[in-house]
Amino acid sequence: MEHAWLGSHVEPDVVVEVRAGRISAVRTSVPTPPPGAVVLRGLTLPGLANAHSHAFHRALRGTVQVGSGTFWTWRETMYGVAERLTPDTYFRLARAVYAEMALAGITAVGEFHYLHHAPGGARYNDPNAMGEALIAAAREAGIRLTLLDTAYVAAGFGESPNRHQLRFSDGDTEAWAARATDLADRASGPGGAVRAPGGSPLVPGGSVRGPDEAADVLVGAAVHSVRAVPAAQLATVAEWARERAVPLHVHLSEQTAENEACLAAHGRTPTRLLADHGVLGPDTTGVHNTHLTDEDIALLGGSGTGTCMCPTTERDLADGIGPAPRLQSAGSPLSLGSDSHAVIDLFEEARAMELDERLRTRTRGHWTAAALLRAASHSGHTALGRPDAGTLERGALADLTTIALDSVRTAGTIPRLGAETAVFAATAADVRHVVVGGRPLVRDGRHTQVPDVPRALAEAIGALRDSS
């Protein structure tokens, strides 16, 4: 590697040795690459982790930027896209979206998956057809997937699902748990043999994965929100995740209207409600955590519950700026996600978290560049159930991202300030190479498994428009 960020500083002339998909050694001050080495020109970082994704929202890009409105009017447009998806079209869209993520340096994604059934709530012959489509898509695109199977059984406090939400709902969390268990068992079974719609088990190259490769997919759990899961059913989801030692995520206090409705229904904030029903803890991540009280921040930090900030979506939807510095100071680890995919660029998410805070406080330097890169890498992987990823050190998963230091955005910068260059100057367009498990996934800016990602995106999104 020409230059590598080793967590605290940048070193030139670094050799990373890989064995069985993991880093077996890191050697510095090696000016001449060993025979047979693959040279990565630029700055190499740990692979990035996108801790919060709704893959189908990618089809909204551009169309929801017309006119004005709120989160709630945006949601109606989102429902329209959700109505048109089938297992086949979702596979094709997600494959293209995950390939776009790979081109942006993302080696693992947390998919917050609640689009379970057919429109109107009818079950597919395979009740997990939509989840299997996502798993097959991630495997074809070559990135690691934590599928956060999401419980979504109500429209609001005491309200049944509306016609759009029927395809999200299993009826109650006991039925959700039974379906999620089946998906988790199949995804982690011998070969991890999950089938793409209408086909045989899909993996890069078309061959069935061996048991050692099944770990590229982890099935976790999610509570969509306190408005979508009745309080009496929250513990079912939390216990399912804890019994399996898998991540648990939840949309939390993204909107003030949700807070007000929760206070009216339960006399407490969403954070307090989650705490009272055993949802918070070090394996749990709250997504957004935007509109919080002092007590909420203390509950989240004191329990070690993580915070996934999604600044490009939060600003796109006019949600507000969450209290990320206070949450981190209280003990809540920070990760980053692209959520609705207004853009897919973890460098922009990291940059936005700092710059939003500068606008709010009119002071600079709330996080170092190194801290922001850790949020985009190791902390994100940990939130997705892979604490052994996101660092360049012996024993870690050999997932790497290399950015150019000679683009129009990065040229002329000082290599030893590579972390600052990555966060405050680079974009996803500067990613040149991506390695997952020691195998090249992106080489010289081209995806090795999805030959034409823009075309794949255009065709998948166009098919949805044609079906409207």
Side-chain angles (χ1 to χ4, degrees):
M1 298 172 183
E2 188 177 24
H3 301 281
W5 179 69
L6 301 182
S8 59
H9 64 289
V10 172
E11 284 275 357
D13 303 326
V14 175
V15 170
V16 169
E17 298 176 2
V18 177
R19 181 174 300 167
R22 292 185 178 271
I23 296 173
S24 57
V26 177
R27 295 190 284 130
T28 59
S29 301
V30 185
T32 303
V38 176
V39 179
L40 302 178
R41 300 290 181 193
L43 173 68
T44 297
L45 312 165
L48 306 180
N50 187 352
H52 189 67
S53 162
H54 301 290
F56 75 94
H57 290 189
R58 174 62 177 82
L60 296 168
R61 188 182 294 178
T63 62
V64 289
Q65 311 305 331
V66 178
S68 61
T70 66
F71 167 86
W72 306 102
T73 55
W74 169 89
R75 190 175 69 160
E76 292 302 312
T77 306
M78 178 270 288
Y79 284 156
V81 171
E83 286 255 311
R84 299 194 292 275
L85 283 162
T86 66
D88 182 64
T89 58
Y90 204 10
F91 163 72
R92 296 181 188 282
L93 176 60
R95 173 180 177 267
V97 173
Y98 295 152
E100 180 183 359
M101 290 184 192
L103 291 177
I106 294 163
T107 58
V109 60
E111 183 63 36
F112 201 98
H113 168 55
Y114 56 82
L115 194 56
H116 302 306
H117 307 298
R123 273 44 176 175
Y124 292 107
N125 290 336
D126 177 355
N128 280 305
M130 297 295 269
E132 290 194 349
L134 290 168
I135 291 171
R139 285 180 170 161
E140 278 231 332
I143 68 173
R144 302 183 194 275
L145 172 70
T146 298
L147 185 69
L148 297 158
D149 198 289
T150 304
Y152 192 140
V153 299
F157 300 98
E159 299 178 27
S160 299
N162 64 34
R163 66 181 183 86
H164 301 294
Q165 296 161 342
L166 286 171
R167 75 178 306 188
F168 309 159
S169 176
D170 290 295
D172 58 36
T173 54
E174 292 292 341
W176 165 83
R179 183 187 50 72
T181 297
D182 178 62
L183 180 61
D185 289 348
R186 279 190 280 172
S188 61
V194 170
R195 295 176 181 271
S200 58
L202 260 179
V203 297
S207 60
V208 178
R209 287 181 180 269
D212 60 321
E213 294 178 290
D216 63 353
V217 172
L218 172 65
V219 176
V223 170
H224 179 273
S225 57
V226 293
R227 69 178 185 274
V229 177
Q233 298 184 46
L234 290 169
T236 302
V237 185
E239 289 166 6
W240 188 94
R242 302 256 157 77
E243 286 171 1
R244 288 160 180 76
V246 295
L248 172 63
H249 288 213
V250 54
H251 288 136
L252 180 57
S253 290
E254 182 179 6
Q255 294 291 319
T256 54
E258 177 181 282
N259 290 357
E260 292 161 1
C262 189
L263 285 165
H266 296 288
R268 65 198 82 177
T269 67
T271 302
R272 170 52 75 182
L273 187 68
L274 294 173
D276 290 348
H277 289 273
V279 177
L280 303 186
D283 294 324
T284 300
T285 297
V287 180
H288 304 302
N289 293 1
T290 306
H291 303 285
L292 303 176
T293 66
D294 291 345
E295 182 193 34
D296 292 341
I297 293 171
L299 285 169
L300 292 167
S303 62
T305 300
T307 294
C308 179
M309 304 297 291
C310 306
T312 65
T313 290
E314 289 150 4
R315 71 191 184 195
D316 182 58
L317 298 182
D319 288 343
I321 302 171
R326 294 183 61 202
L327 282 160
Q328 187 173 48
S329 295
S332 179
L334 299 181
S335 56
L336 296 166
S338 63
D339 193 359
S340 68
H341 312 315
V343 296
I344 294 177
D345 188 337
L346 265 288
F347 301 113
E348 176 61 21
E349 302 294 346
R351 177 162 55 243
M353 190 162 69
E354 166 68 24
L355 297 186
D356 286 353
E357 198 61 28
R358 291 182 185 186
L359 285 174
R360 179 163 63 179
T361 63
R362 291 182 290 175
T363 60
R364 305 174 77 221
H366 300 275
W367 293 276
T368 64
L372 292 168
L373 282 180
R374 282 191 289 273
S377 55
H378 183 254
S379 293
H381 289 289
T382 299
L384 298 180
R386 293 187 176 87
D388 55 347
T391 62
L392 299 186
E393 58 187 34
R394 188 173 183 271
L397 291 172
D399 297 353
L400 316 172
T401 292
T402 303
I403 63 170
L405 292 179
D406 58 358
S407 76
V408 294
R409 289 163 294 278
T410 62
T413 56
I414 302 170
R416 67 179 174 80
L417 299 179
E420 286 75 11
T421 299
V423 171
F424 293 106
T427 73
D430 295 309
V431 172
R432 290 294 175 267
H433 311 291
V434 176
V435 173
V436 177
R439 293 176 293 188
L441 182 62
V442 174
R443 303 182 82 164
D444 297 316
R446 296 187 64 83
H447 200 290
T448 62
Q449 298 174 190
V450 182
D452 191 338
V453 178
R455 181 177 178 180
L457 285 163
E459 290 180 348
I461 295 169
L464 289 178
R465 292 193 184 125
D466 293 342
S467 68
S468 62

